[in-house]
Amino acid sequence: MRIVLGVGGGIAAYKVASLLRLFAEAGHTVTVVPTAAALRFVGAPTWEALSGQPVQTDVWTDVHRVQHVRIGQEADLVVIAPATADLLARAAHGLADDLLTNTLLTARCPVVMAPAMHTEMWEHPATQANVATLRERGVDVVDPASGRLTGKDTGPGRLPEPAELYAACLPYLDGTPQPAHGRDAATQPAQDLAGVRVVISAGGTREPLDPVRFLGNRSSGKQGYALAAVAARRGASVRLISANVTLRPPPEVEVVPVGSALELKHSVDGAAASADVVIMAAAVADFRPAEVADAKIKKTHDPADPDAAPVITLVRNPDILAGLVQDRGERGTPLIVGFAAETGDATGSVLELGRQKLARKGCDLLVVNEVGVDKTFGQDDNTVHILERDGGDAITVGPAPKEEIAAAILDRVAWHLTT
Ligand code: CTP
């Protein structure tokens, strides 16, 4: 088959040399069309040596052969890897400012695009809209993998490995083009949560003291957001009840913003009634100020004693998780997953305290993580122990990125839903 391999200007271009090799070894004729930026990462000699074909990038070479039209017209398959945010945008908008985008406009064969970029760029609504447009037009956009990116950051945005990309192209290589959903499972997350309604709470509650102050905690919401992103990718319909989180919402997830524990309870209870799974990843304040001042509390609040510190009386907040377990009663649904933030203390280790908490709360799964000033809160990597209500050994996951932890938790959820 005649394959056009379009290479975008991203660091992952180096992986595409191996993909080219796989195509060539399988006997395909591959024309590599790098963008000008791609050539800054991997030069033309590499592409020419591996493909055995000359490499062009602009529309001004070999003009007499009308390359900007011919390459696309003659292709049996166009594969773009890495598809950068810029390249996705140009393709979605039908621009034709270099040889590769001209080729995309003239190709009438299947097109596979493998995006790779930093997580923020991938999750940006502009990129997501461009991907949606391309998919609507029939382009097979492969989901990026999750993991280590160029710098120290991790998250979705990695180019899948060459063998996975090759597998994504296989349906088109045997001459029987298939729609994207018919692809090999290696490149698409298993849809094992398809149709499952999942409610996830994330972040940390803020308990107001007066119009400008609150009692809060250090939760960033990253673990809850990672759970929402992974569950949605695995087919779940996700409602994310988000307490004071500044992260960008994952695609395909309904976000309900809340502030205090009482607001969180109201939203969670409302959503739980029609949910299959509730995951309480939020850090909920156990107490709130008994009174919320209408006006800002002044430094000098007692004229008789100007240096006196105010006394704040706290009252208990309801335990939302325990309430969910109680309310579902004999019904057995939804499946309820709790989190336990533990530091360990004189009365027990992190795991011992976790088991006691599981027994107290009565949820189905309890994800125990060790917290401290520089552990877990706000970090990208985490270690957790997953405890099951019915006993058995704890499953320890990590240290790993929060998306990986999320995937392990959702594996247990999926298992419970099918047994
Ligand atoms: N949780 C809740 N409502 C509360 C407090 C906590 O639903 N008022 C939930 C959290 O979302 C989490 C789990 O309970 O899923 C455990 O939270 P954690 O703060 O570790 O436990 P607490 O019950 O507050 O116990 P303690 O502070 O004594 O460790």
Side-chain angles (χ1 to χ4, degrees), residues 110-155:
V111 176
V112 176
M113 293 182 118
M117 63 200 76
H118 281 274
T119 305
E120 291 81 355
M121 297 173 83
W122 169 247
E123 289 177 347
H124 193 283
T127 304
Q128 288 300 311
N130 291 331
V131 168
T133 301
L134 291 164
R135 281 181 171 155
E136 262 166 40
R137 287 191 200 133
V139 174
D140 187 349
V141 183
V142 177
D143 280 327
S146 200
R148 183 80 189 265
L149 301 172
T150 322
K152 284 192 174 155
D153 46 344
T154 57

Side-chain angles (χ1 to χ4, degrees), residues 3 18 21 32 37 57 91 113 141 146 160 185 247 271 276 322 329 374 381:
I3 299 174
S18 302
R21 220 193 177 119
V32 183
T57 183
M113 293 182 118
V141 183
S146 200
L247 304 170
D276 301 304
D374 53 359
D381 280 16

Side-chain angles (χ1 to χ4, degrees), residues 280 282 284-286 318-321 338-342 357 360-361:
M280 283 295 295
V284 186
D286 291 322
D319 188 322
I320 305 169
L321 180 63
F339 269 69
E342 301 292 353
K357 193 169 285 182
R360 218 167 47 237
K361 303 249 182 184

